Amino acid sequence: MFVKTALLVLKKDFAIEVRSREILYTTLLFALSCVLVFSIAFVKEGEPLLDAAAGILWIAVEFAGTLALGKTFERERYAETLRALLLAPAPRAAIYAGKMLGIVLLLSVAEVLLVPLVALLFHAPLLAHPALLVALLAAGTIGFAIVGTLFAAMLVRVRSRDVMLPILLYPMTVPVMIAGVRGTSALLQSPADVASAGMWIGLLASLDVVFLTIALWTFEPLMTE
Amino acid sequence: MRTLFVPLILVATAMFAYAPYMIDQAAYESSMGLVSKIFYFHAPSGMVMLLSAVVCGVASALYLWRRNPMADHVAIAAAELTVLYGLIVLVTGPLWARKAWGIWWDWEARLTMSFVGWLIAVSYLFVRKYGGPGSDKLGAALAVFGTANVPFIYLSVNLWRTLHPKTSVVPTLPPLIRGPFWFSALALFLMYLLLLTARVHLERQRAALDALYLTDED
């Protein structure tokens, strides 16, 4: 029941998105603009600063993710469909899980584009350890999406939600960002520091487990009027 | 707490009046000179800030799952005091750092952690103030997440960088510094307790007033 509901919510979001592709395109374009802005700050005399690639990649993901989160729930609010979803005779936590998976999927698509682009533009050997990079990005993106989906969902009824989301989300995801950026830049060293990258992946994975438990637990009382 | 409130205010006032004398009499730390006196405000405020954050997190969890309105009053009062004591920590810290490290700020583990914790507490107040209806539950979830996040922030920034004196400094203080230190810590903690009680009381009165308005309208 739980998995089925979550997949149904995911399927619904996917079907809407496939028709308009609005969130996907805006997220991708926004991520590109982020990369452009950062290139101004972190490229000196044609050469990117050391370690800049890792930071740019993760900040672009975080910023684009915030935008996508806001948009996804704006859509639900606009047609009052979130209320309909919550009225459905299904476990609330499953609705949360479906929404969260949708965000993870969307950000994964953005990352597939961002990683080669950042590697190319900032001369970073990002693809030297593909398995470790994928593990880092997956664990980090899931951690971000867990907190982000919960906060975006509870902000739906709040007036200044578009300002509030980044204010709440960025301090809360500091460990995700530190682990992501440090882990990625460990992979960018020559030779790559595989041991530290593994340690950061471990930290991210344990964070995902703890945050997911609390999120599934809090979603129900939070969404009850 | 109510009957003890006035006597405790008197005790706290007396302690705060005596504290500067005691700190003045305490031994000078050899390398830091006068600046080392900041320690008597800085470290205890940090302890109280951490305590207050934990109080806020526990109270918020109680409110979220048990719907206890009293827990909500405690949570908002503790969050405000976390911000207040955090401000003391974040202002006195750089003053000390300028002398000890030659820089005002460093992105070091404990500093980053205090800053992030303070930011989360501020965003909690932000939610409560501008969130509109339903913001009490929203804030509670934020506080629960913030508290669960503490070990991860601690671990991640610790692995990232470390420069601040270790917490093991406090139990190994020389006797001439230890006395005034714990005196200051007790005074600041007493002030925290009094402010918290007063603030919870205010919040309760406000809730009672709101309830009265609502019944009057019906």
Side-chain angles (χ1 to χ4, degrees), chain B residues 62-138:
Chain B
L62 278 178
Y63 180 64
L64 201 58
W65 285 297
R66 291 275 163 79
R67 291 292 164 82
N68 181 350
M70 185 64 188
D72 185 48
H73 304 334
V74 173
I76 190 165
E80 279 181 7
L81 290 171
T82 310
V83 172
L84 177 73
Y85 278 85
L87 206 59
I88 299 177
V89 173
L90 290 174
V91 169
T92 53
L95 293 175
W96 182 88
R98 183 75 183 85
K99 173 85 176 165
W101 305 330
I103 40 172
W104 293 102
W105 183 267
D106 188 89
W107 288 103
E108 174 275 340
R110 244 156 221 277
L111 277 74
T112 314
M113 166 122 180
S114 317
F115 180 57
V116 173
W118 187 75
L119 218 56
I120 292 176
V122 172
S123 64
Y124 174 92
L125 293 185
F126 194 87
V127 166
R128 296 300 302 256
K129 180 128 178 65
Y130 302 111
S135 62
D136 46 346
K137 270 189 282 178
L138 219 169

Side-chain angles (χ1 to χ4, degrees), chain A residues 131-211:
Chain A
L132 283 172
L133 185 75
V134 167
L136 258 174
L137 280 172
T141 310
I142 291 172
F144 176 79
I146 289 169
V147 188
T149 310
L150 185 75
F151 283 8
M154 62 193 196
L155 281 171
V156 164
R157 285 193 289 259
V158 171
R159 259 176 298 133
S160 43
R161 55 193 158 276
D162 28 359
V163 199
M164 212 86 98
L165 184 62
I167 291 180
L168 304 189
L169 202 51
Y170 294 162
M172 207 57 86
T173 49
V174 158
V176 175
M177 287 302 278
I178 292 180
V181 173
R182 287 298 110 207
T184 311
S185 73
L187 287 181
L188 289 181
Q189 282 168 9
S190 55
D193 189 353
V194 175
S196 344
M199 180 200 73
W200 289 117
I201 293 171
L203 181 80
L204 280 173
S206 53
L207 183 143
D208 288 353
V209 171
V210 172
F211 276 18

Side-chain angles (χ1 to χ4, degrees), chain A:
Chain A
M1 181 69 181
F2 185 94
V3 178
K4 210 177 137 198
T5 314
L7 288 178
L8 269 176
V9 172
L10 178 66
K11 202 176 138 197
K12 168 196 84 79
D13 278 354
F14 191 72
I16 298 172
E17 188 53 41
V18 163
R19 292 221 185 117
S20 71
R21 287 182 290 274
E22 185 197 354
I23 296 179
L24 180 69
Y25 287 160
T26 40
T27 305
L28 289 180
L29 207 59
F30 184 74
L32 281 181
S33 321
C34 277
V35 171
L36 172 73
V37 172
F38 286 124
S39 72
I40 298 165
F42 298 116
V43 177
K44 208 176 163 190
E45 288 162 16
E47 268 301 303
L49 296 179
L50 204 70
D51 264 10
I56 291 166
L57 175 66
W58 281 91
I59 296 174
V61 170
E62 170 142 338
F63 282 10
T66 314
L67 195 81
L69 282 167
K71 273 264 171 202
T72 323
F73 282 95
E74 189 63 29
R75 188 181 273 168
E76 294 281 4
R77 196 188 64 87
Y78 201 65
E80 285 282 334
T81 43
L82 191 64
R83 178 160 302 170
L85 260 183
L86 293 174
L87 282 174
R92 295 248 161 101
I95 295 169
Y96 165 81
K99 278 279 172 198
M100 199 264 287
L101 286 175
I103 293 293
V104 171
L105 210 66
L106 185 78
L107 284 179
S108 309
V109 175
E111 281 158 9
V112 167
L113 182 85
L114 269 174
V115 169
L117 193 77
V118 170
L120 212 79
L121 292 177
F122 297 93
H123 321 305
L126 271 173
L127 295 169
H129 293 269
L132 283 172
L133 185 75
V134 167
L136 258 174
L137 280 172
T141 310
I142 291 172
F144 176 79
I146 289 169
V147 188
T149 310
L150 185 75
F151 283 8
M154 62 193 196
L155 281 171
V156 164
R157 285 193 289 259
V158 171
R159 259 176 298 133
S160 43
R161 55 193 158 276
D162 28 359
V163 199
M164 212 86 98
L165 184 62
I167 291 180
L168 304 189
L169 202 51
Y170 294 162
M172 207 57 86
T173 49
V174 158
V176 175
M177 287 302 278
I178 292 180
V181 173
R182 287 298 110 207
T184 311
S185 73
L187 287 181
L188 289 181
Q189 282 168 9
S190 55
D193 189 353
V194 175
S196 344
M199 180 200 73
W200 289 117
I201 293 171
L203 181 80
L204 280 173
S206 53
L207 183 143
D208 288 353
V209 171
V210 172
F211 276 18
L212 187 63
T213 314
I214 306 177
L216 290 174
W217 205 9
T218 40
F219 193 75
E220 170 86 43
L222 258 178
M223 287 293 146
T224 313
E225 297 258 351

